[in-house]
Amino acid sequence: MRQIIIVGILLIACFYFLFSFSNRQVQENRPPEIRITAPLPNSTFNWNSILPYEIQVSDFEDGNSEYDEINPNEVLLIVQYLRDSSELKPYLKRKSNTNYETLIQMGCSTCFNCHRAKGKLIGPSFTDISAKYERDPKTIELLAKKIMTGSSSVWGDEKMPPHPDLMAGQVRELVRWILENNSDSNRDYLAGLRGSIKTRENVEDKEKGILVMTAIYKDHGSDNQGQSSIQAQNTLILKNH
């Protein structure tokens, strides 16, 4: 009788172990959570002022931004200025159909270490690059080669280091995105968990501006094979004071 009980206990223990192991194996990647914590919801903004922002990210697999477990450059903020509320609904509809994959890849690389969308950092802004070069296949190949092999004396004394770790097709997509998405003076792209936005100046008296802030983070997937990355967004809408 005792042997039967012992065998039964062992079988139950084996079943529990196999069930737990199998459950861990099929566990799906959990989506990340991202939230713009500053400014607060329903806040307003003033013309020609500095607007600080802060973003929090948490992900079951990647970690939490509060504990410095999230790479700040992989947290992106898109800021869109609209003239009035009549432009809001069409913009949100377009935004819902926008593919941000190339922008996310730029955040995962070192692009935002040296470049901003607007305003010089170490290298030229994406806006200046977009204004200087034509949007044609020959130019895309030329700029892609400069990124992969490095360049100097193009925008002054600064040198751009080579990026041999990037694939040629990936670099061409980055160049194409820079040339095609940085001519809008009412849109800005920022990387980082915190920073500040310079609001517009010299606007018409009757213009009632709106700022749409969209924070984006794409996780790294789970350790299980086949568990792809998941993108999360959070949008905050601010009206002019």
Side-chain angles (χ1 to χ4, degrees), residues 148-239:
M148 296 188 69
T149 61
S151 65
S152 61
S153 302
V154 178
W155 296 88
D157 297 331
E158 294 84 2
K159 295 182 179 181
M160 182 169 65
H163 298 81
D165 54 314
L166 299 178
M167 303 294 291
Q170 179 186 13
V171 176
R172 283 193 289 269
E173 286 301 315
L174 299 183
V175 173
R176 186 176 290 108
W177 183 91
I178 291 171
L179 297 180
E180 294 179 352
N181 292 275
N182 288 276
S183 59
D184 187 352
S185 61
N186 293 324
R187 184 181 304 146
D188 199 0
Y189 303 93
L190 303 161
L193 291 162
R194 56 189 59 85
S196 60
I197 302 164
K198 177 68 166 60
T199 61
R200 286 169 55 110
E201 55 183 320
N202 298 328
V203 297
E204 300 177 8
D205 293 337
K206 296 181 180 180
E207 192 168 318
K208 298 179 180 180
I210 294 176
L211 281 181
V212 183
M213 304 169 62
T214 302
I216 300 174
Y217 177 75
K218 186 175 183 179
D219 69 14
H220 293 252
S222 69
D223 293 334
N224 296 321
Q225 292 184 354
Q227 300 299 320
S228 58
S229 300
I230 300 176
Q231 177 184 309
Q233 296 185 22
N234 179 231
T235 296
L236 182 67
I237 299 172
L238 304 179
K239 295 183 178 181

Side-chain angles (χ1 to χ4, degrees), residues 27-150:
Q27 183 178 358
E28 295 183 357
N29 177 30
R30 303 186 190 182
E33 296 181 2
I34 185 168
R35 186 165 61 96
I36 301 173
T37 56
L40 296 174
N42 301 317
S43 297
T44 58
F45 72 94
N46 296 315
W47 300 122
N48 193 25
S49 62
I50 301 298
L51 183 66
Y53 72 85
E54 188 164 342
I55 302 168
Q56 288 185 357
V57 176
S58 63
D59 183 77
F60 183 80
E61 292 81 14
D62 295 354
N64 196 307
S65 60
E66 291 188 22
Y67 307 117
D68 298 326
E69 296 170 333
I70 302 295
N71 182 355
N73 277 351
E74 296 181 13
V75 182
L76 303 168
L77 182 69
I78 302 171
V79 182
Q80 178 71 47
Y81 168 79
L82 304 174
R83 292 174 60 89
D84 55 52
S85 58
S86 66
E87 298 180 356
L88 181 58
K89 188 174 181 179
Y91 169 73
L92 293 177
K93 184 177 181 179
R94 291 194 306 272
K95 185 176 73 68
S96 65
N97 297 321
T98 300
N99 186 350
Y100 295 111
E101 188 61 35
T102 302
L103 181 62
I104 292 170
Q105 289 180 7
M106 293 174 68
C108 294
S109 67
T110 59
C111 296
F112 287 102
N113 289 347
C114 300
H115 301 275
R116 292 183 182 136
K118 290 178 170 50
K120 179 180 173 62
L121 191 57
I122 297 174
S125 69
F126 297 146
T127 300
D128 289 341
I129 295 172
S130 176
K132 179 172 181 169
Y133 293 100
E134 297 292 333
R135 298 166 179 78
D136 58 69
K138 185 177 180 180
T139 301
I140 291 173
E141 288 294 335
L142 172 66
L143 295 180
K145 183 177 180 181
K146 289 179 180 292
I147 292 174
M148 296 188 69
T149 61

Side-chain angles (χ1 to χ4, degrees), residues 9-23:
I9 292 173
L10 290 174
L11 288 173
I12 292 173
C14 290
F15 177 81
Y16 177 79
F17 173 80
L18 291 173
F19 176 79
S20 299
F21 179 78
S22 175
N23 189 51

